[in-house]
Amino acid sequence: MARAQAAVDRLVESPSADPERDAPLTDDPRRDAELAAVLGAGGALARALPGFRPREQQVAMAQAIGQAIVARGALVAEAGTGTGKTFAYLVPALLYGGKVIVSTGTKTLQDQLYERDLPLVRDALAVPVTTALLKGRANYVCHYHLERAVREDRLPSRDDARHLAKIVAFARTAERGDRAELADVPEHATIWPLVTSTRDNCLGQDCPHHDACFVLKARKEALDADVVVVNHHLFFADVMLRDEGVAELLPNCNTVILDEAHQLPDTATLFFGDEVAAGALGDLARDAELTARTVARDVEGLPDVAADVTPAVRKLRLAAGEATGKFTRDAALARPGFAAALDALAAALDRLAVGLEQFAERSEELAVLAARAGDLAQRVAGWRDATDATPESSTDDAGWVRWIDVTPHGFALEASPLSVAPLMRRHVEGSARAWIFTSATLAVGGDFSHYTAQLGLENAATQAWTSPFDYATQALLYVPRGLPLPNSAEHTDAVVDAAVPLVVASEGRAFLLFTTLRAVSRARERLAAALAARGLDYPLLVQGEGSRSELLVRFRTLRHAVLLGSASFWEGVDVPGDALSLVVIDKLPFAPPDDPLLAARLARLRERGGNPFMDWQLPQAVISLKQGAGRLIRAETDRGLLAICDPRLIDKAYGRRVWQSLPPMARTRDEAVAVAFLEGLRESTPAPR
């Protein structure tokens, strides 16, 4: 894991020294006036965007971001729903930011920024900035792998054959080669890994299609552009690996804006750590066996050596046991046969690496495969043998935890840092550029300390702006009476029973959000039976029965739908208008305490005299709850009811801290009041034409 520190060491390269770098974030009346004019009534944004409404919170946020950009400082900015934070950071970024990287949470938001928001602001300001969109290489069709897939004609399914023909035609005419532009091939189609590249299997300059490479074209455009839009996974992957071009962008970048910044602690942990997944091992085995039977078919024994990896992966999965979940390394190694299976896998990878290296000079493809096999062999062995207690940096937060994530059909060997704060702190404070971290959910009751401590941002400025929405009249918070404790077997049934009168009163138009997929499955059965008993046929949309985007399109289109979902629907979901009037949350979203990484972090906190619950678990739960609650009110005309079915919100002393962190809604515990509120919304909603 020393590579994480090395990556940060080499990436603290900075643009030329700026005398304003250490200046305090002070007001500049002229700059503040300019931003107020742009975002005010009759300003550039109002003229460019019909229906634009000036918001004082948006202006204040833009002014604070402008200060941080000019001073080359770090700002952590929370903006309540409806503030318009995208425009609040794009306007000062385009006016004062120099070369800017904007990173957001998902590829969907990335496309929205690049295709809609950024051009609108650029045109409204009439500033001559160039823009670029940069995604991970798996998002671009690879000419080499596409050609190989056509030549080898060994596709897993008939659907893949149909998709392949469409991708071939697309690649001939596409400008960017971005798979998102080919709507005819589903996002999760199994053909995509066969026609795109990874960092491991890219042939680089030795590729015969190097000059036509879509990835290189996107990277060049990003290097030349004034504003580059990326996503968090790409940003951190490149910080670690210098893979897709962001690491090349950073040394010359003046401003980094990280939107949806509440995701960063988890994303940084993922990329500053290490993972060896069964899928990556299977990809290596497939590629090696195929190459051994084609490029090196005359080499006796090599195909057999390549074929040995797949059964070794299967044996390790079997040795991991039937129980799925996350387990510490020590617990995994204690299982009968697991250590032996792990050693056998490492040995199979070693044999493959040695076999490939003997013939690496034949082709770049063999050389790349040899390097992949050797790297994976080393990481598998390192997962078993590395000592967690050995510091791998000179900071007090050093330390790693190694664990395995066992799924029904696979596994991942994980190594995670207990804290990413030292790495992030050095990265942020060692560069002469502005860093803007923004989201609707960063603070707990106005306190940013939990968030800033996770990312080493203790020296950053922090500011929060409340939502401009009138939650006191637009929304009602309801906590049902008489519910069992959340860890009881009957809790999910009780949640559904409490939700049914609300769903009936709102005539569907509801999200039911749960903390586990098991609860989603149970709730679906009970809710379907309860609605059928009342003669109601509201469409039930359930996570797992379609992609998230498909379910959301159906929810917005169908009248009276009820969507049941878990973690992926708690954030990044926007359904303004009367299609959604009710959000039910089953319990406060505390992370499972048996998660190995969380358990290790809590133990470290306890050793240092902290309170694991108050200092970590509660703040994390509050931030997650704020995300889920934020699905309800998305526009100034929205109205709706938020039901939180967790008695701890009322019965526990910390409950007050939780609900005070939510928007200032009216509150009730009376079911009749909640039902009447929803019926009033229904009566005031115009009938569909």
Side-chain angles (χ1 to χ4, degrees):
M1 304 312 140
R3 66 190 183 96
Q5 192 66 51
V8 174
D9 289 344
R10 66 173 180 261
L11 285 173
V12 295
E13 309 163 30
S14 312
S16 56
D18 188 332
E20 293 186 333
R21 165 64 180 145
D22 297 320
L25 305 189
T26 55
D27 292 334
D28 180 326
R30 290 174 299 177
R31 185 178 62 244
D32 289 351
E34 181 178 24
L35 291 169
V38 168
L39 293 164
L45 267 293
R47 293 193 300 271
L49 185 62
F52 178 84
R53 295 189 180 186
R55 303 175 178 91
E56 62 181 40
Q57 295 93 335
Q58 185 181 59
V59 171
M61 182 179 179
Q63 291 169 339
I65 290 174
Q67 294 166 23
I69 287 175
V70 171
R72 299 289 188 262
L75 173 66
V76 179
E78 180 179 270
T81 305
T83 300
K85 61 182 171 65
T86 303
F87 290 168
Y89 64 69
L90 284 180
V91 170
L94 268 57
L95 290 176
Y96 321 117
K99 188 171 182 68
V100 180
I101 296 176
V102 181
S103 180
T104 191
T106 64
K107 287 181 288 188
T108 300
L109 292 173
Q110 189 183 0
D111 287 333
Q112 178 181 306
L113 263 172
Y114 179 75
E115 302 286 353
R116 189 188 72 182
D117 298 333
L118 187 52
L120 192 153
V121 174
R122 179 191 60 196
D123 294 345
L125 297 177
V127 288
V129 299
T130 55
T131 64
L133 178 70
L134 186 60
K135 298 181 179 179
R137 65 171 66 247
N139 292 278
Y140 300 97
V141 175
C142 171
H143 293 293
Y144 174 80
H145 289 285
L146 176 60
E147 182 181 84
R148 191 173 77 163
V150 172
R151 182 178 64 248
E152 291 164 357
D153 193 26
R154 296 176 62 179
L155 300 175
S157 70
R158 292 181 180 177
D159 283 343
D160 286 330
R162 289 193 297 269
H163 295 328
L164 181 61
K166 295 177 182 178
I167 296 171
V168 168
F170 169 72
R172 290 195 188 110
T173 59
E175 287 292 320
R176 294 193 297 176
D178 185 345
R179 57 191 263 188
E181 298 172 349
L182 184 56
D184 288 346
V185 179
E187 179 182 356
H188 301 294
T190 53
I191 187 66
W192 284 121
L194 303 179
V195 298
T196 56
S197 70
T198 67
R199 179 178 62 90
D200 293 326
N201 66 23
C202 174
L203 301 184
Q205 292 185 352
D206 294 311
C207 178
H209 302 278
H210 182 267
D211 292 341
C213 178
F214 289 125
V215 171
L216 291 182
K217 182 179 179 181
R219 184 180 299 179
K220 183 180 184 304
E221 290 177 353
L223 287 169
D224 294 339
D226 299 308
V227 181
V228 185
V229 181
V230 302
N231 60 66
H232 296 336
H233 280 250
L234 173 60
F235 183 86
F236 279 104
D238 283 2
V239 165
M240 293 304 304
L241 303 171
R242 283 182 174 259
D243 183 29
E244 312 286 355
V246 173
E248 296 173 344
L249 293 171
L250 273 174
N252 297 314
C253 173
N254 306 103
T255 304
V256 176
I257 298 173
L258 297 154
D259 198 354
E260 300 299 317
H262 62 278
Q263 299 176 2
L264 295 181
D266 288 340
T267 308
T269 298
L270 173 66
F271 284 102
F272 286 150
D274 191 25
E275 176 184 86
V276 178
L281 294 165
D283 289 344
L284 170 68
R286 181 198 66 209
D287 293 346
E289 188 171 359
L290 187 59
T291 302
R293 296 185 187 282
T294 54
V295 177
R297 58 181 176 273
D298 59 318
V299 179
E300 185 177 352
L302 186 57
D304 295 333
V305 173
D308 286 345
V309 174
T310 297
V313 173
R314 293 198 190 108
K315 288 178 182 176
L316 184 60
R317 172 60 190 89
L318 289 172
E322 295 182 3
T324 59
K326 300 176 181 179
F327 308 95
T328 65
R329 179 182 59 182
D330 290 346
L333 290 173
R335 293 181 176 178
F338 185 87
L342 191 64
D343 290 341
L345 174 59
L349 291 168
D350 267 330
R351 288 194 300 274
L352 178 59
V354 170
L356 291 167
E357 284 170 1
Q358 293 176 10
F359 305 95
E361 293 183 358
R362 283 194 176 191
S363 72
E364 180 64 20
E365 193 169 0
L366 284 168
V368 168
L369 282 169
R372 285 171 64 187
D375 177 63
L376 285 169
Q378 184 179 26
R379 288 158 62 192
V380 168
W383 185 85
R384 172 175 179 171
D385 298 333
T387 303
D388 291 341
T390 301
E392 301 196 26
S393 75
S394 60
T395 69
D396 291 338
D397 292 313
W400 292 75
V401 58
R402 287 165 177 81
W403 46 284
I404 183 171
D405 187 1
V406 182
T407 60
H409 305 292
F411 61 86
L413 306 176
E414 305 282 359
S416 302
L418 288 177
S419 173
V420 298
L423 301 166
M424 284 297 296
R425 183 185 299 113
R426 188 167 178 181
H427 193 46
V428 171
E429 296 183 355
S431 61
R433 61 180 61 92
W435 292 81
I436 311 299
F437 301 80
T438 184
S439 170
T441 55
L442 298 175
V444 178
D447 180 5
F448 288 89
S449 60
H450 175 68
Y451 181 79
T452 56
Q454 288 184 84
L455 292 181
L457 299 175
E458 296 88 345
N459 295 325
T462 60
Q463 236 171 316
W465 295 271
T466 59
S467 170
F469 297 156
D470 183 5
Y471 279 94
T473 58
Q474 288 180 251
L476 179 66
L477 171 62
Y478 168 51
V479 181
R481 298 181 188 275
L483 290 173
L485 291 175
N487 59 355
S488 63
E490 62 270 20
H491 182 258
T492 298
D493 287 352
V495 169
V496 175
D497 293 346
V500 168
L502 308 178
V503 172
V504 172
S506 65
E507 294 186 336
R509 303 185 298 160
F511 275 9
L512 272 60
L513 302 179
F514 297 85
T515 53
T516 66
L517 287 172
R518 183 181 303 167
V520 170
S521 177
R522 174 58 188 161
R524 186 252 177 87
E525 295 178 7
R526 194 170 183 90
L527 181 61
L531 295 178
R534 291 165 172 77
L536 300 172
D537 59 352
Y538 301 151
L540 296 185
L541 308 177
V542 183
Q543 181 174 339
E545 298 180 1
S547 70
R548 188 174 85 153
S549 58
E550 291 169 345
L551 292 174
L552 289 173
V553 168
R554 291 177 62 195
F555 184 87
R556 295 185 185 104
T557 304
L558 295 169
R559 304 289 299 183
H560 314 300
V562 180
L563 187 148
L564 294 86
S566 186
S568 63
F569 287 92
W570 282 63
E571 62 176 278
V573 175
D574 194 7
V575 186
D578 60 13
L580 177 63
S581 296
L582 169 64
V583 171
V584 178
I585 293 176
D586 69 334
K587 65 178 73 170
L588 300 180
F590 290 107
D594 57 350
D595 177 276
L597 179 56
L598 175 61
R601 284 175 167 168
L602 297 182
R604 170 68 64 89
L605 189 60
R606 191 179 298 110
E607 289 169 2
R608 296 181 174 182
N611 183 319
F613 180 78
M614 297 301 293
D615 296 342
W616 188 281
Q617 292 170 283
L618 183 61
Q620 287 284 98
V622 169
I623 289 172
S624 297
L625 181 66
K626 288 170 67 176
Q627 279 291 328
R631 301 313 99 212
L632 182 63
I633 304 297
R634 307 300 299 174
E636 292 174 337
T637 56
D638 285 359
R639 298 185 69 199
L641 183 138
L642 171 66
I644 302 178
C645 300
D646 192 329
R648 293 174 295 185
L649 199 64
I650 304 299
D651 299 341
K652 298 294 185 180
Y654 61 78
R656 182 180 183 86
R657 186 179 177 192
V658 175
W659 61 255
Q660 284 186 335
S661 295
L662 297 173
M665 310 176 195
R667 303 188 302 275
T668 186
R669 301 207 67 194
D670 191 328
E671 180 184 292
V673 172
V675 168
F677 179 85
L678 288 167
E679 289 176 342
L681 299 185
R682 186 182 68 197
E683 292 167 3
S684 63
T685 301
R689 295 182 179 181

